Amino acid sequence: MSEYDFDHALIAAAFRLAADSGWARVSIADAARAASLSLAEARIRFPNRLALLRRYGQLLDQAALSAAPNEGPVRDRLFDLLMSRFEAMKPHRDGIRALLRYLPTDPLTTLELTCATRRSMRWMLNASGQPTHGLRGALRIKGLVAVWLWTMRAFERDDSEDLASTMATLDTALGRVHGAAVWLSGDRNAAREADDPAEPDASADPA
């Protein structure tokens, strides 16, 4: 079994356990046993649950980046990239819900996921052709993090196979920040329009 397959199997088992018993009761050892994986290798690859969540985020990014579009408007590229991440999360929806319910009780895990989300959104922006350096880049990242978190609320409630509600929410969220070109397009004319006080909703925070 490759390391990639090992990681997938252990992560899937961890989320199944979380769906059944809650994230607080999940251990790496239990997940390895549930997936019939080597405890010794699990110990090396995942010393704790934070390591498992970091690796899961990397796999989600990998799923999105492997199908990154090379052309089209920035908004459409970001839509495709973020929906690819949500599609990759779909098999683990119940376990992810359990994790989200657990987060208010664990500030360390919440901080880790907050930092991981920023790193992931930086990659999504770069994959869409948008630079993320400097103040403008920081604002782009902040805006896309807000889009992701807002859409996560819809994903948490979305039981459909086609993630129709998630897609609709993501489309709306991207639309709400699209006018703020300082986040998304980098186009000077669009940026001036976004700064125009006659457009009060251009930089509305989707959160």
Side-chain angles (χ1 to χ4, degrees):
M1 177 181 289
S2 69
E3 291 182 348
Y4 178 86
D5 290 337
F6 185 98
D7 294 353
H8 263 285
L10 193 141
I11 289 168
F15 279 120
R16 285 196 300 270
L17 291 175
D20 291 340
S21 305
W23 185 258
R25 294 179 177 272
V26 173
S27 73
I28 301 300
D30 286 344
R33 280 190 289 265
S36 300
L37 299 172
S38 164
L39 287 172
E41 187 170 356
R43 170 64 181 86
I44 292 172
R45 296 194 58 72
F46 299 101
N48 52 49
R49 292 184 305 176
L50 287 179
L52 183 146
L53 292 176
R54 282 192 290 269
R55 179 60 175 144
Y56 184 52
Q58 292 170 352
L59 291 174
L60 293 178
D61 289 346
Q62 188 174 345
L65 295 171
S66 64
N70 294 319
E71 57 186 24
V74 170
R75 176 179 168 180
D76 292 350
R77 293 191 194 186
L78 288 173
F79 180 89
D80 290 343
L81 285 161
L82 296 186
M83 277 310 304
S84 292
R85 281 187 112 246
F86 283 117
E87 287 287 348
M89 292 164 61
K90 188 168 64 173
H92 310 129
R93 253 185 307 206
D94 290 339
I96 290 170
R97 288 167 178 153
L99 172 61
L100 293 174
R101 290 193 296 270
Y102 167 81
L103 288 181
T105 70
D106 188 341
L108 181 59
T109 300
T110 300
L111 177 61
E112 169 66 28
L113 290 180
T114 298
C115 294
T117 298
R118 286 184 56 83
R119 289 192 297 269
S120 293
M121 294 306 105
R122 181 188 295 272
W123 270 103
M124 299 303 105
L125 283 163
N126 288 156
S128 73
Q130 293 303 291
T132 53
H133 55 271
L135 177 59
R136 180 168 289 184
L139 289 173
R140 287 191 185 107
I141 294 169
K142 180 180 178 181
L144 199 58
V145 167
V147 167
W148 176 260
L149 294 178
W150 193 34
T151 309
M152 271 295 299
R153 299 175 188 174
F155 175 81
E156 187 179 3
R157 299 187 297 267
D158 191 349
D159 287 318
S160 65
E161 275 302 308
D162 60 1
L163 296 180
S165 176
T166 302
M167 285 193 289
T169 302
L170 176 59
D171 186 60
T172 299
L174 287 172
R176 291 182 66 180
V177 300
H178 181 70
V182 70
W183 287 345
L184 296 177
S185 73
D187 180 81
R188 292 182 180 180
N189 293 329
R192 282 196 295 270
E193 291 174 5
D195 291 334
D196 189 340
E199 299 289 342
D201 293 331
S203 60
D205 186 346

